[in-house]
Amino acid sequence: MTFQSKRAWRLQEFAAHGGNVNCLALGPKKARLMATGGEDRKVNLWTIGSPTVTLSLSGHTSGIDCVGFDESEEHVVAGSASGTIKLWNIDKAQVVRTLSGHKANISALAFHTYGKFLASGSLDTNVRLWDTRRQGCICTYKGHGGRINCLKFSPDGKWIVTGSEDGTVKMWDLGTSKVIQEFKQHDAGVSCLEFHPCEFLLATGSSDKTVKFWDLETFDLVSTTSSEAKPIKKIVYDPKGDALFSGAEDSLRVYGWEPARVYDSLCIFWGKVADMSVQSNQLIGASFQHTNVAVWVVDIGKLKPFNGDVTPLVETSETGPPPSAPTQAPSIRPSVPRSQPALSQPAILQPTQPSQPARQEPLKRTPPKQRKNLQHWEQKGPTQEPRYGPLSQNAEVNVAANALGKISLLDNQPEQTVTESDFLKTAAGGHRGIRDNLEARLRNLQYVRTVWSKGDLKQALEVAIGLNEQGITVDILQVIQSRPAIWDLHICTIVLPALRTLFHSKHENHLFVACSTLKHIIRSFGQLIKDNMNAPPVGNIDITREERYKKCHLCHQQIANISREITRHSSAQGKLGSAIREIIKLSESFY
C-alpha cells in the first residue's frame, strides 16, 4: 500500500517515562499538546510531533493514574494512586492546588464546561465536585457500585454524567445533586462516554464491546451497535456530529445511530488507546504500552461517510504491525517551540493532498428523530446579565429608565441623550434576560415531567422541590392539588417543608398556593394524624403501623412549625388575609 493511499498511520512512538505509563490526555483545543502520567510519579507534557518532553511536573508521592487539561490548556490536573489530586499552572510550572478526599485511586477527571470547577471519580466508587478556587469539595455523589471509569460535564454545564465499572451510567443534576436518570443496559463496565455536540444525545462505550446511544429528552435507548472484537476504549464525535468514532485495542470504527450502523472500519494496532480528537479533517489518537507512547493519525476524508460514500460497509483492513515492531513513520518537520507547535499546519500530518471523494455529493444521513436542537449546548460561558444589573419584577420599567438615561447603574455617568435605536437595543437585552429565565424554568419543568412520566411521583416531587425554585414548586403543587387520589402521608412529608418556605415568599400567588395546599393536607389527613399521635404503637412489633406513626409524627411537627410562623400574616388584607386566617383556625382545631 503506497503512502498516499493510506488512511491511517503512526506519526511517532517514544519512551515517555522511566516507569510504566498509566494514562494520557490530549489538549482539548487543537490536540497539539499531550500530557502523560506514569509510575515514576511524574506528569510529562509533550508537543505532538516532538519526542522531547516540553515540561516535567512532579509533586505526587505515588503513581499517576489519571491526567487532564482545562479548556484553555492553562492548567493540567493529575490524580494519583493515593487518591490525591494536584493542579498545575503550566506556564509557571507550579502546583496551584492540592485536593484530598478520595480514599483510593483517582480514575477519572473532568473540568467543568466553564468556571473553575473540577469533577473526579475514584476506585472508592464516589464522584466529587471541587471548587478549585477555594480548594474544597462542594459535593460528593454516591451511588455507583464500582470504580468510576469516566465522567463528563454536559456542554451547557448543568449536568454531569458518570460511567462505572458496575455497568451503569448515572446522570446527575448539578443544581440538586441528585440523579436525574440511570442507564443500566450495558453488560459490563462503562469505559467512555461522549455528548453529541449539537443534539440531546449521549453515547456510551463499554467493555461489553458495544456503543449505546441515549436520547436525553426521553432517556430512551436510541440504538446499540453490534459487538466489536475487543472492548471499547474511547469514543468521540466529529465536530459536526455526523458520526461517532469508536476506538478499541486494534480497531477504529465509524458509527451512525439512527439506525445503528457501521459506516467504516479500520484495523489499527494502537494498543491501549487512551484519547482521541478530531482536528482539521484528521483524527489524532494516542495510546500507551509499557513505557512507550504512540501517536496515530487517521485521514477521515478517506473514511465513509466523510468521503461522500454512504453505502453499507464492506469492511477493509489497514494492515500493519503492532507497536512493538514500528515501521517508518511519515516524515515530519523538526520540532519547534510550543508557541509554534509541530501540528500548526496540516502538512505535518502527511499526506498533504486532500483525498478525492468517491462521489461529489453532500453527506446523506438518515434523518434523526425530532429531538430538541440544543442551541444552548454551544454556550461556553455563563449567561451574561444585562449591563443595568440583575433582573427584577419590574424589569421592563428598569430597562426603559436605564435606556433613556434617567439612571446610571455603572459608573455615575452624566445623563445622556439616547436615540430610539439605542433604547430598543437595550430594551431587547432585558427581554432576552426574561426569555432566558423562562426557558430555564421550562427545562426544569420538563425534567420533572420526565421523572413523573416514569411513574415515580414521589421522586418527581423531590426533584421539583430540590431545584430550590419557588416558581417550579408552585407549578407542581397546583397540579397535584387537582388530583386528590394521588396523595398519601409520604407525599405530605415531602410537601410540608416546601410549604414552610413558600410562606416566607413575597409573592401573593405563592402564599395563596401554600394556603390551599396546607388546607387540603389538614382536611384530608388531619384526623388520621391526630388518631395516630393519640395512640402510638405499643406491644407487638407492627412495622406498617410504626412507619405510619413516624410519618404522622413528622407531619404533626411540620404543621405545628408552619402554624407558628404564619401568624405574622394574620393582619393581611383582602382574600389573602381571609385565607391565612382560615388556615390559622384550621390549625387550632387540628391541635
Side-chain angles (χ1 to χ4, degrees):
M1 181 179 293
T2 66
F3 175 74
Q4 291 295 331
S5 64
K6 278 195 173 183
R7 299 191 291 174
W9 62 94
R10 182 166 54 241
L11 178 68
Q12 61 181 142
E13 183 176 4
F14 55 90
H17 287 267
N20 284 344
V21 179
N22 294 334
C23 54
L24 63 79
L26 294 170
K29 276 188 173 181
K30 295 293 183 181
R32 305 296 198 265
L33 193 63
M34 178 172 63
T36 59
E39 284 296 323
D40 59 5
R41 299 174 291 182
K42 293 182 179 180
V43 175
N44 290 338
L45 300 186
W46 311 83
T47 299
I48 300 296
S50 170
T52 304
V53 63
T54 302
L55 185 64
S56 187
L57 304 169
S58 58
H60 275 296
T61 58
S62 57
I64 310 299
D65 284 348
C66 192
V67 291
F69 291 96
D70 67 353
E71 290 291 328
S72 63
E73 294 183 5
E74 294 177 356
H75 297 89
V76 63
V77 64
S80 72
S82 66
T84 302
I85 301 168
K86 289 186 181 291
L87 180 69
W88 284 269
N89 180 292
I90 295 177
D91 289 336
K92 297 180 180 179
Q94 66 182 24
V95 176
V96 294
R97 290 289 182 271
T98 299
L99 307 173
S100 300
H102 283 293
K103 298 178 181 179
N105 307 56
I106 304 299
S107 51
L109 292 165
F111 278 94
H112 194 270
T113 313
Y114 50 81
K116 303 298 182 180
F117 300 100
L118 173 74
S120 60
S122 170
L123 184 61
D124 65 10
T125 73
N126 294 332
V127 176
R128 288 178 178 264
L129 182 64
W130 309 86
D131 185 336
T132 59
R133 297 165 299 183
R134 300 178 182 177
Q135 199 168 339
C137 179
I138 301 172
C139 185
T140 301
Y141 304 96
K142 299 182 178 181
H144 279 296
R147 179 185 65 203
I148 308 300
N149 290 332
C150 51
L151 49 81
K152 190 174 286 288
F153 289 98
S154 62
D156 64 356
K158 296 181 182 295
W159 303 335
I160 184 172
V161 176
T162 57
S164 171
E165 192 64 25
D166 64 8
T168 65
V169 175
K170 292 180 184 287
M171 177 179 289
W172 310 79
D173 187 300
L174 294 179
T176 64
S177 300
K178 293 184 178 181
V179 176
I180 299 174
Q181 184 66 25
E182 182 176 14
F183 306 108
K184 300 181 179 180
Q185 282 87 334
H186 277 296
D187 297 326
V190 177
S191 54
C192 49
L193 50 86
E194 192 76 14
F195 285 96
H196 191 280
C198 306
E199 300 174 11
F200 242 12
L201 187 72
L202 175 73
T204 57
S206 168
S207 295
D208 65 9
K209 307 174 185 177
T210 68
V211 176
K212 294 183 183 293
F213 298 91
W214 311 90
D215 188 322
L216 297 184
E217 283 189 296
T218 63
F219 300 134
D220 292 331
L221 178 63
V222 176
S223 60
T224 302
T225 65
S226 57
S227 181
E228 296 196 20
K230 297 289 182 66
I232 309 299
K233 296 295 185 183
K234 190 68 179 177
I235 56 176
V236 64
Y237 284 100
D238 79 281
K240 294 182 179 180
D242 290 321
L244 179 89
F245 297 95
S246 169
E249 188 172 322
D250 56 4
S251 67
L252 174 73
R253 287 194 177 189
V254 188
Y255 285 115
W257 48 89
E258 290 178 312
R261 56 203 182 279
V262 182
Y263 281 129
D264 215 333
S265 178
L266 298 177
C267 182
I268 305 178
F269 294 99
W270 48 14
K272 297 179 181 177
V273 56
D275 204 0
M276 300 190 303
S277 178
V278 179
Q279 304 289 342
S280 302
N281 210 37
Q282 293 177 323
L283 182 143
I284 313 300
S287 62
F288 61 86
Q289 188 168 356
H290 304 304
T291 62
N292 283 10
V293 167
V295 178
W296 296 75
V297 181
V298 178
D299 184 354
I300 65 175
K302 294 182 178 179
L303 301 181
K304 300 177 184 180
F306 303 98
N307 63 358
D309 185 357
V310 293
T311 57
L313 171 71
V314 177
E315 293 201 19
T316 61
S317 173
E318 293 292 323
T319 58
S324 58
T327 58
Q328 180 64 35
S331 59
I332 60 175
R333 295 179 182 176
S335 61
V336 295
R338 184 177 164 219
S339 59
Q340 297 177 356
L343 287 186
S344 60
Q345 298 296 329
I348 287 179
L349 304 182
Q350 295 284 346
T352 58
Q353 297 299 321
S355 56
Q356 295 298 320
R359 290 184 293 175
Q360 298 296 326
E361 297 180 3
L363 177 61
K364 298 178 181 178
R365 282 188 57 199
T366 301
K369 295 186 295 186
Q370 295 301 313
R371 290 191 298 271
K372 180 184 290 185
N373 185 14
L374 298 180
Q375 298 298 330
H376 59 280
W377 244 209
E378 301 173 4
Q379 182 175 327
K380 295 301 181 183
T383 302
Q384 296 295 319
E385 291 286 351
R387 68 187 298 270
Y388 43 82
L391 199 62
S392 72
Q393 290 185 4
N394 298 317
E396 292 85 353
V397 177
N398 292 341
V399 169
N402 190 45
L404 292 173
K406 299 297 183 183
I407 56 176
S408 178
L409 302 181
L410 290 178
D411 47 17
N412 297 319
Q413 295 176 350
E415 187 172 317
Q416 298 177 356
T417 302
V418 179
T419 65
E420 181 180 358
S421 61
D422 291 336
F423 167 74
L424 292 174
K425 182 178 180 180
T426 307
H431 293 309
R432 281 196 295 271
I434 297 172
R435 182 199 63 192
D436 291 343
N437 286 344
L438 291 175
E439 287 180 347
R441 184 171 175 178
L442 176 60
R443 287 196 297 271
N444 287 334
L445 285 171
Q446 288 172 334
Y447 299 158
V448 176
R449 181 179 181 275
T450 300
V451 176
W452 196 341
S453 67
K454 301 292 184 180
D456 194 339
L457 170 61
K458 296 178 178 63
Q459 185 179 355
L461 281 172
E462 290 174 348
V463 169
I465 294 170
L467 290 170
N468 200 28
E469 186 178 335
Q470 291 186 354
I472 299 292
T473 303
V474 168
D475 289 340
I476 299 302
L477 290 178
Q478 288 177 316
V479 172
I480 64 175
Q481 277 188 55
S482 63
R483 304 182 183 185
I486 66 178
W487 283 79
D488 58 24
L489 282 173
H490 191 175
I491 289 180
C492 293
T493 62
I494 297 172
V495 168
L496 283 168
L499 296 184
R500 188 177 180 183
T501 301
L502 286 179
F503 275 115
H504 288 84
S505 174
K506 296 179 181 179
H507 298 283
E508 188 171 293
N509 180 56
H510 292 183
L511 293 171
F512 267 121
V513 173
C515 285
S516 61
T517 305
L518 182 57
K519 182 167 64 175
H520 169 76
I521 291 174
I522 293 176
R523 286 181 172 176
S524 300
F525 299 94
Q527 191 61 46
L528 174 64
I529 294 172
K530 287 174 62 176
D531 292 344
N532 276 270
M533 293 302 297
N534 294 330
V538 294
N540 295 331
I541 296 176
D542 186 337
I543 302 297
T544 302
R545 187 178 178 186
E546 289 182 356
E547 288 294 327
R548 182 169 61 248
Y549 176 78
K550 288 180 181 178
K551 292 175 183 177
C552 288
H553 184 263
L554 183 57
C555 290
H556 189 271
Q557 284 185 323
Q558 292 168 340
I559 293 173
N561 292 335
I562 293 173
S563 299
R564 285 192 294 269
E565 294 179 4
I566 63 174
T567 54
R568 64 191 181 93
H569 294 293
S570 60
S571 60
Q573 301 298 315
K575 293 183 179 179
L576 178 60
S578 299
I580 292 289
R581 287 187 285 275
E582 183 181 1
I583 289 294
I584 294 174
K585 187 175 181 180
L586 272 175
S587 300
E588 290 173 351
S589 65
F590 177 70
Y591 293 104

